[in-house]
């Protein structure tokens, strides 16, 4: 099974370099030049040519992407890597596994996770509240102390006002 480790963002410069939304805790281990990655949607394999940090952004180039025009064509493509044994951390979840989970405060269902934003400090759960509005919930242990993928639910202990409509 493959796991998403990055999403190609906007091109940087004219030589086919990309900004990247990193979706792995170990980019230095996984995004190594010479490595070939599967893609989603499948545009064919991409072989990493270089990886470098520019300010707080990771920039990647691939052998198969020669210029900015091609980079624009494949923007938002997901970079996949085979899942390894280190991915079996019980305190880690795939973003796709979180989407669709019911959110509870105590015994009351308050909403459903509809999306996840991968952040630099922490991820954000996009929660569709039962009243219809969307709430951004920081995915930290103090607010989301329990995630039960098998039961299809998360437990929330939100601070006052977090789940209120704006």
């Amino acid at each position: 099974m493959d796991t998403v480790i990055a999403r190609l963002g906007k091109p940087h410069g004219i030589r086919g370099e990309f900004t990247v939304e990193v979706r792995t805790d170990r980019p230095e281990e996984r995004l190594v030049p010479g490595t070939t990655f599967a893609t989603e949607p499948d545009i064919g394999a991409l072989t990493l040519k270089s990886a470098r940090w520019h300010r707080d952004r990771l920039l990647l180039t691939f052998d198969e992407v020669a210029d900015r025009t091609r980079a624009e064509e494949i923007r938002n493509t997901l970079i996949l890597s085979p899942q390894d044994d280190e991915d079996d951390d019980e305190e880690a979840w795939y973003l796709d596994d979180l989407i669709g989970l019911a959110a509870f405060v105590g015994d009351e269902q308050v909403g459903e996770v509809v999306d996840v934003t991968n952040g630099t400090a922490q991820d954000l759960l996009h929660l569709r509240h039962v009243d219809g509005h969307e709430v951004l919930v920081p995915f930290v242990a103090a607010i989301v102390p329990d995630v039960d993928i098998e039961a299809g639910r998360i437990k929330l202990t939100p601070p006052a006002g977090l789940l209120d409509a704006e």
Side-chain angles (χ1 to χ4, degrees):
M1 178 179 166
D2 288 339
T3 184
V4 176
I5 60 169
R7 182 187 62 80
L8 300 179
K10 65 181 182 178
H12 180 81
I14 61 170
R15 294 192 172 98
E17 192 170 40
F18 291 93
T19 60
V20 178
E21 177 186 316
V22 177
R23 294 192 181 175
T24 178
D25 293 337
R26 304 182 327 264
E28 292 81 10
E29 294 173 29
R30 294 210 164 172
L31 295 167
V32 178
T35 305
T36 300
F37 299 98
T39 57
E40 185 179 305
D42 186 2
I43 59 167
L46 293 177
T47 304
L48 187 60
K49 185 176 193 176
S50 71
R52 68 181 180 98
W53 289 96
H54 176 68
R55 298 186 183 145
D56 62 343
R57 294 291 241 185
L58 183 60
L59 301 176
L60 302 180
T61 58
F62 297 92
D63 291 338
E64 298 80 6
V65 182
D67 57 24
R68 184 180 186 95
T69 302
R70 180 62 178 148
E72 281 288 355
E73 292 171 355
I74 64 173
R75 184 177 181 172
N76 294 319
T77 297
L78 300 177
I79 302 301
L80 309 175
S81 178
Q83 184 177 351
D84 62 24
D85 293 338
E86 291 184 36
D87 291 334
D88 291 334
D89 181 359
E90 287 192 19
E91 292 298 315
W93 300 274
Y94 294 110
L95 298 180
D96 291 341
D97 291 341
L98 298 170
I99 296 171
L101 296 181
F104 286 83
V105 173
D107 292 331
E108 178 185 359
Q109 183 172 352
V110 295
E112 176 185 348
V113 178
V114 294
D115 199 6
V116 181
T117 298
N118 194 252
T120 53
Q122 78 269 335
D123 295 338
L124 291 171
L125 301 178
H126 295 245
L127 186 74
R128 183 183 311 114
H129 195 275
V130 292
D131 293 338
H133 63 279
E134 185 173 296
V135 179
L136 295 177
V137 177
F139 191 31
V140 294
I143 299 173
V144 188
D146 187 39
V147 175
D148 189 340
I149 300 293
E150 290 180 15
R153 60 186 286 156
I154 60 172
K155 177 182 175 187
L156 302 177
T157 55
L162 180 67
L163 301 179
D164 297 341
E166 298 188 7

